[in-house]
Amino acid sequence: MLALLLLVVFGYLILAPVVLLLIDAVTVHFADIARTKQDLGALTFYYLNRVLISPISRDLFWWPLAHTAIISVAAIVISFLVGAPIGWLLSRTDLIGKKWFSTALLLPYMLPSWTFALAWLTLFKNRTTGGQPGWMETFGFTPPDWLAYGALPISLILALHYAPFVILLFGNALKQFDTQLEDSARSLGASPATVARRIILPLMMPSLVSAATLIFAKCLGDFGVAYVLGVPVGFDVLATSLFRAISTSQAGASAVLAGVIVLLGTISIIIDMRLLKEAKRFVTIGSKGAMVRQTPLGKWQAPAFAWALLVFIISAGIPLLALTLTTVMRVPGSFSLDNFTLDYWIGTDLGTTALRQGILLTGEFWLALWNTVWMVGLAAIGAGVLGLLVGYAVVRSPVAFVSVALRQITFLPYLVPGIAFAAAYLSMFAVARPPLPALYGTPIILVLAILADQMPFASRAGISSMMQLGREPEEAGQIVGAGWFRRMRSIVLPIQRNALVSAILLPFISGIKGLSLVVVLAVPGTDLLTTYAIRLVDYGYSQAANAVVVMLCVVAFTGTMLVQKIGKANLSDGMGSK
């Protein structure tokens, strides 16, 4: 009964919005009755034609699709060039400071990707978009448009943000690789290049391709970086084109665009799953008789350390330093003493239209902070509790079909990029859908969307933890007359306390730094820190926006460290242990 009830709930909250979104792509909307000359709700190919083959399709779909492909491929290549050597250094060498680097080099992924786009804008902004100058202009160098905006900076930022995928997947795969295979090849006269090409690369291919597909899926739905660095110069990707279609009330076209993003994201994740299954063929590598030997760097110790340090400085150190310094400068990049100020934090008369005081004295900031805490917190608690119940139902249900269906539906949001899932929720809840009224513009739609979006992680945590809990404790409770609620409260929840805490905290951290999902659903009265910062960017208040972002980074980083401490886990498990 619990499994059936959860199936109904998540069918309504997850499956129905996605299905409705796809239906919206092929049915007539009220605003287009005159254009289509069809009745409301009738089957139509008008929106497909408009997006794919009409005169505006090039700007609406094909150029954004090409731009998405370009930045995704570039990000994958760059992240491999950066991440693969780092993964090798951390997993197979005696690199100086390995334990520190194993966490520090993952810092870019702990923070929102678009914060580094704001840092790039702080450093390389030019007069193309007006407003205050960037640091380079203050220093006397005007960056060209191709350096300040567009494909190059977007690709670099996404590559550095997702390089930890390569570091983790490739590095941990190397940790399981038996070095005796390399020794055998060398004893037969194989050169290092031959060993790498004929032995290491084929066996590492599943982890490398898996990293590539994950990076592609993430780039596909990443909205913030392209919005900050692409939209000002007309460089649209699928995510920003979808946002523009939603903003201009093109419901049918936005449904088609979201459907394409869902399709591409699903294909990439399915490929990843198949590759992970294929990787099980190599499970004996690194088994009981395996040997993993550390490679001494010798004279390359200093260059390797310098390389790892340079990657950290470029990917995290400089962006965070630039963001923080800009918040205390009247003119970005000017280091004269009279240019430093705390006005953007605690100033009382900034002389600007939409921001009269520093953010710490501004009601909108504290409202956004409060909204972030209670909305994301409530969604995270709901996701954690429901995830544990899903795990209980999946593991205990005697009906295999219901168990499998519940597992698959709660995993569905993982296949749907955030901005497409937000579009699905907009289609579902912009009007009344019994038993709920119209929710757009209310906090409820944000709470439900964040909760549903985080269910893949919460449900997997619940399932894995419940699989380790036998039936005996509950059966003992049944023998002494304890009902189901009493057994859950007195037996299951206390035993699964740590799993529940992790299942709550992980969605909370992810929800705090997420932008793609909430930017479509939030309105000024329901702003979170992420959407409030983006609104300040739109107003041109870069210092105040950066101040909000710094606060957001502190919260996200602190929360990530808290999750690792409470869960007794680490993003870099398996690397940097020595």
Side-chain angles (χ1 to χ4, degrees):
M1 291 301 296
L2 175 64
L4 288 173
L5 177 62
L6 291 171
L7 201 58
V8 171
V9 170
F10 290 117
Y12 183 80
L13 293 180
I14 294 176
L15 185 60
V18 176
V19 172
L20 185 62
L21 174 72
L22 300 178
I23 292 174
D24 280 348
V26 292
T27 54
V28 176
H29 297 264
F30 179 79
D32 300 306
I33 292 176
R35 293 191 187 94
T36 60
K37 297 184 172 68
Q38 293 178 277
D39 295 331
L40 179 66
L43 181 67
T44 182
F45 294 105
Y46 171 77
Y47 304 116
L48 290 169
N49 292 334
R50 180 177 175 81
V51 172
L52 300 178
I53 60 176
S54 73
I56 67 168
S57 64
R58 183 178 65 176
D59 295 327
L60 185 63
F61 175 72
W62 292 110
W63 274 120
L65 177 63
H67 293 161
T68 301
I70 290 170
I71 64 171
S72 298
V73 171
I76 290 170
V77 171
I78 297 170
S79 64
F80 273 49
L81 293 176
V82 173
I86 293 294
W88 178 74
L89 287 172
L90 293 177
S91 61
R92 297 289 292 275
T93 72
D94 58 347
L95 176 70
I96 297 174
K98 183 195 299 187
K99 187 173 182 179
W100 182 83
F101 278 124
S102 66
T103 298
L105 290 171
L106 305 184
L107 179 61
Y109 188 66
M110 299 180 192
L111 305 175
S113 61
W114 54 276
T115 61
F116 299 103
L118 292 180
W120 186 280
L121 202 61
T122 296
L123 294 172
F124 296 104
K125 179 182 178 182
N126 62 25
R127 288 293 165 180
T128 298
T129 57
Q132 290 190 321
W135 282 30
M136 293 297 102
E137 276 197 326
T138 303
F139 295 156
F141 169 71
T142 300
D145 282 353
W146 60 265
L147 178 60
Y149 309 96
L152 177 63
I154 294 174
S155 300
L156 285 173
I157 289 169
L158 291 177
L160 294 175
H161 181 68
Y162 294 120
F165 281 178
V166 182
I167 296 174
L168 289 173
L169 291 173
F170 181 65
N172 286 330
L174 282 174
K175 288 285 289 186
Q176 304 302 318
F177 184 82
D178 190 350
T179 53
Q180 293 179 93
L181 297 174
E182 299 175 64
D183 295 339
S184 299
R186 290 194 183 97
S187 68
L188 295 173
S191 66
T194 301
V195 172
R197 180 171 54 87
R198 299 291 299 275
I199 297 177
I200 298 177
L201 188 59
L203 294 177
M204 295 297 105
M205 191 58 68
S207 64
L208 292 175
V209 180
S210 181
T213 55
L214 286 174
I215 293 171
F216 173 76
K218 293 293 185 179
C219 291
L220 187 65
D222 196 292
F223 167 79
V225 177
Y227 183 77
V228 173
L229 295 176
V231 169
V233 291
F235 187 90
D236 269 322
V237 296
L238 285 176
T240 55
S241 183
L242 171 58
F243 180 75
R244 181 176 285 110
I246 294 173
S247 301
T248 53
S249 301
Q250 300 180 61
S254 63
V256 174
L257 288 168
V260 171
I261 295 174
V262 170
L263 178 62
L264 294 174
T266 302
I267 291 172
S268 66
I269 298 301
I270 289 175
I271 292 173
D272 178 55
M273 290 178 177
R274 292 184 66 88
L275 288 169
L276 288 177
K277 184 180 293 186
E278 184 73 10
K280 291 182 179 179
R281 293 190 307 155
F282 307 105
V283 73
T284 55
I285 297 175
S287 61
K288 187 175 180 180
M291 179 174 63
V292 179
R293 183 171 53 249
Q294 297 290 304
T295 301
L297 290 173
K299 65 179 181 180
W300 295 102
Q301 186 73 258
F305 176 81
W307 165 250
L309 184 61
L310 180 64
V311 171
F312 170 76
I313 291 172
I314 292 176
S315 63
I318 292 177
L320 291 177
L321 181 63
L323 279 178
T324 305
L325 286 177
T326 301
T327 65
V328 294
M329 291 180 172
R330 291 188 176 89
V331 178
S334 175
F335 289 89
S336 60
L337 290 179
D338 60 352
N339 187 52
F340 285 92
T341 179
L342 293 177
D343 283 353
Y344 301 106
W345 290 95
I346 56 174
T348 55
D349 186 12
L350 301 185
T352 51
T353 304
L355 190 72
R356 309 293 294 180
Q357 298 172 310
I359 65 161
L360 296 182
L361 302 180
T362 301
E364 288 83 354
F365 168 76
W366 292 107
L367 176 62
L369 178 61
W370 169 241
N371 286 344
T372 300
V373 171
W374 84 261
M375 289 185 199
V376 178
L378 183 60
I381 292 172
V385 173
L386 288 173
L388 190 62
L389 291 177
V390 167
Y392 184 89
V394 167
V395 174
R396 298 285 192 262
S397 176
V399 183
F401 171 77
V402 175
S403 177
V404 172
L406 185 58
R407 182 195 296 258
Q408 297 303 324
I409 288 178
T410 54
F411 185 72
L412 180 60
Y414 191 75
L415 305 178
V416 183
I419 195 163
F421 195 66
Y425 254 64
L426 199 59
S427 295
M428 179 76 177
F429 296 114
V431 296
R433 305 282 183 186
L436 297 178
L439 298 179
Y440 181 66
T442 70
I444 298 175
I445 192 172
L446 287 165
V447 173
L448 290 178
I450 296 170
L451 185 154
D453 188 56
Q454 297 301 320
M455 279 311 299
F457 308 102
S459 64
R460 286 320 183 259
I463 291 171
S464 62
S465 62
M466 287 304 303
M467 288 182 69
Q468 300 175 28
L469 177 63
R471 296 176 181 268
E472 292 80 5
E474 287 186 85
E475 290 173 348
Q478 277 182 299
I479 291 173
V480 297
W484 183 82
F485 284 102
R486 178 63 186 274
R487 297 198 304 273
M488 287 295 293
R489 178 164 53 87
S490 302
I491 299 174
V492 176
L493 288 179
I495 293 175
Q496 301 289 9
R497 182 179 57 209
N498 288 338
L500 179 61
V501 170
S502 295
I504 291 173
L505 286 176
L506 286 172
F508 182 71
I509 300 308
S510 181
I512 280 178
K513 68 178 187 175
L515 174 64
S516 299
L517 178 69
V518 299
V519 71
V520 173
L521 303 175
V523 297
T526 59
D527 264 332
L528 307 183
L529 283 177
T530 50
T531 57
Y532 179 59
I534 286 295
R535 293 190 197 282
L536 291 176
V537 171
D538 290 338
Y539 295 149
Y541 302 151
S542 57
Q543 289 99 327
N546 290 349
V548 175
V549 167
V550 169
M551 296 291 290
L552 179 63
C553 289
V554 170
V555 173
F557 179 74
T558 303
T560 303
M561 294 294 102
L562 183 63
V563 168
Q564 295 184 154
K565 185 175 180 63
I566 293 176
K568 296 180 180 179
N570 196 299
L571 284 173
S572 57
D573 278 345
M575 298 193 305
S577 57
K578 293 183 180 179

